[in-house]
Amino acid sequence: RTLEVEDMYDIVDENSQYLDLVSPTASMAGSVKIGSDTSSYTSVSGVSEDYFDIKGYDVSKGRGLQYSDVSQRSKVCVVGAYLDQAYFGGNSVGQTLRVGGQSLTIVGVMEQQSDELEEGGTDDCLYLPYSTASRISGRISSYVITVRDENYLSESKDALEDALYDFFESDDFYTVVSMSEMLETMTSMINILVGVLAGIAAISLVVGTMNIMLVSVTERTREIGIRKSLGAKERYIMEQFVIEAACTSALGGVIGILMGYGLSSVATMVVTRLMEETLTVAPSVGAVIMAFGISVGIGVLFGYLPAKKAAALNPIDALHYD
């Protein structure tokens, strides 16, 4: 059986105690033609008049899509800030473009979503009524639905799945995915990745610090013998090597923190582009302080043993070491 748009609206109405807004979504392939130019990376989607409210998008110029646009299959669209600036010089409202061979009139411009306007980015997008898009592309691919109370998200999902099962009489023809489940899955995957990377970093830090200090003690055995023969006490030699280990680890920690901030900026750009959502990836101050403290602590801890070995060397043996 085929689920028509009216059927989905009926399901939402029948479960209005759980479900609120709904927007059919028709994703369209192909390029957008603007005059003699062609934009191949612009994402084109057919949506309802409620889609902007569902996603929390604002219109900076003109107007958004309206119910009359959907019901009358109007050939209108709302474009992202990138198209408005790159192709129309900020004056796109009232201009026309072509999608799938159909000419559409621009009635509004979305508020800029990302910090930079770039081709293929979050702001390189176009939205038109789903009724118009379905006539061009042929079918509705999915539905976006909101719940009235996020505290009853599980019950809302169950109600929707039950209604769809009653309609199709099978659960092989649909999939219901909640954003919270996607977030939990992503968080779980990120936590596993963080754990693996933290383990690798810890092993590298421990092994690297110990090797550096052992090599440092070995290569400077004659120096240690000279200092001890001139009256240097064991605690002075221990302090020398422990401080050296702490400084080395602290320097490595600072470099790691700087690299972490740089990679976070890259991750923000990648995640924003892939998910088409504004998401900032940034380490917290507490995590930075903890990472730096662990780095210095491991340096001091594993620098102590080589330092103790250096302080215990016999001056005569140290002077004869080659």
Side-chain angles (χ1 to χ4, degrees):
R1 299 181 61 184
T2 301
L3 181 71
E4 301 294 342
V5 173
E6 293 76 10
D7 297 325
M8 179 56 78
Y9 273 100
D10 288 341
I11 289 175
V12 173
D13 289 338
E14 292 169 0
N15 296 275
S16 58
Q17 70 272 28
Y18 294 118
L19 308 179
D20 189 12
L21 301 177
V22 57
S23 173
T25 303
S27 298
M28 302 177 62
S31 58
V32 177
K33 294 187 179 297
I34 305 172
S36 59
D37 298 323
T38 300
S39 178
S40 302
Y41 297 97
T42 302
S43 63
V44 182
S45 301
V47 297
S48 76
E49 70 279 6
D50 292 323
Y51 186 78
F52 279 32
D53 291 333
I54 292 174
K55 302 292 286 186
Y57 294 156
D58 294 321
V59 177
S60 60
K61 301 176 185 178
R63 65 172 178 84
L65 298 178
Q66 300 176 348
Y67 175 77
S68 58
D69 297 327
V70 176
S71 61
Q72 297 174 13
R73 296 186 174 89
S74 301
K75 296 181 180 180
V76 297
C77 65
V78 176
V79 299
Y82 172 78
L83 291 180
D84 178 53
Q85 294 294 330
Y87 292 95
F88 299 99
N91 298 305
S92 60
V93 177
Q95 303 293 327
T96 60
L97 47 75
R98 298 184 68 83
V99 175
Q102 296 291 324
S103 179
L104 303 177
T105 301
I106 301 173
V107 295
V109 179
M110 289 176 55
E111 190 172 277
Q112 185 171 332
Q113 302 295 311
S114 58
D115 295 333
E116 297 182 3
L117 296 177
E118 56 184 352
E119 185 177 25
T122 306
D123 295 291
D124 188 4
C125 57
L126 183 152
Y127 295 100
L128 66 157
Y130 71 84
S131 54
T132 307
S134 61
R135 173 174 289 184
I136 299 173
S137 65
R139 61 187 296 270
I140 301 297
S141 57
S142 62
Y143 293 86
V144 181
I145 303 172
T146 61
V147 297
R148 291 191 176 277
D149 190 343
E150 62 183 24
N151 294 322
Y152 295 94
L153 180 60
S154 179
E155 292 83 349
S156 302
K157 182 183 177 184
D158 290 341
L160 179 58
E161 288 179 332
D162 291 342
L164 290 173
Y165 185 86
D166 292 339
F167 184 88
F168 287 105
E169 299 180 351
S170 173
D171 57 4
D172 297 330
F173 305 105
Y174 61 88
T175 301
V176 180
V177 180
S178 68
M179 293 301 294
S180 63
E181 290 179 346
M182 294 178 62
L183 182 60
E184 290 175 0
T185 302
M186 183 177 294
T187 301
S188 176
M189 294 173 62
I190 291 175
N191 289 338
I192 294 174
L193 181 61
V194 169
V196 172
L197 293 178
I200 295 174
I203 294 173
S204 301
L205 182 60
V206 171
V207 174
T209 303
M210 291 188 67
N211 283 343
I212 289 173
M213 295 311 301
L214 286 173
V215 170
S216 178
V217 171
T218 302
E219 290 183 345
R220 296 159 65 183
T221 301
R222 287 180 61 84
E223 175 190 335
I224 295 169
I226 293 173
R227 290 193 64 193
K228 295 195 71 173
S229 64
L230 292 176
K233 296 181 180 180
E234 290 188 4
R235 67 184 182 91
Y236 294 146
I237 297 175
M238 284 191 62
E239 287 177 359
Q240 174 187 347
F241 285 95
V242 170
I243 292 174
E244 183 178 321
C247 291
T248 302
S249 299
L251 179 60
V254 170
I255 295 174
I257 290 170
L258 294 177
M259 291 181 62
Y261 275 106
L263 292 175
S264 297
S265 300
V266 174
T268 298
M269 293 169 42
V270 172
V271 171
T272 300
R273 176 170 295 186
L274 292 178
M275 297 182 63
E276 298 183 354
E277 294 286 350
T278 302
L279 180 64
T280 302
V281 180
S284 64
V285 177
V288 171
I289 294 175
M290 183 176 67
F292 183 78
I294 291 175
S295 176
V296 176
I298 289 178
V300 173
L301 177 63
F302 289 96
Y304 172 78
L305 295 178
K308 186 176 182 181
K309 176 182 177 182
L313 285 174
N314 188 308
I316 298 177
D317 294 334
L319 290 171
H320 282 85
Y321 183 84
D322 188 4

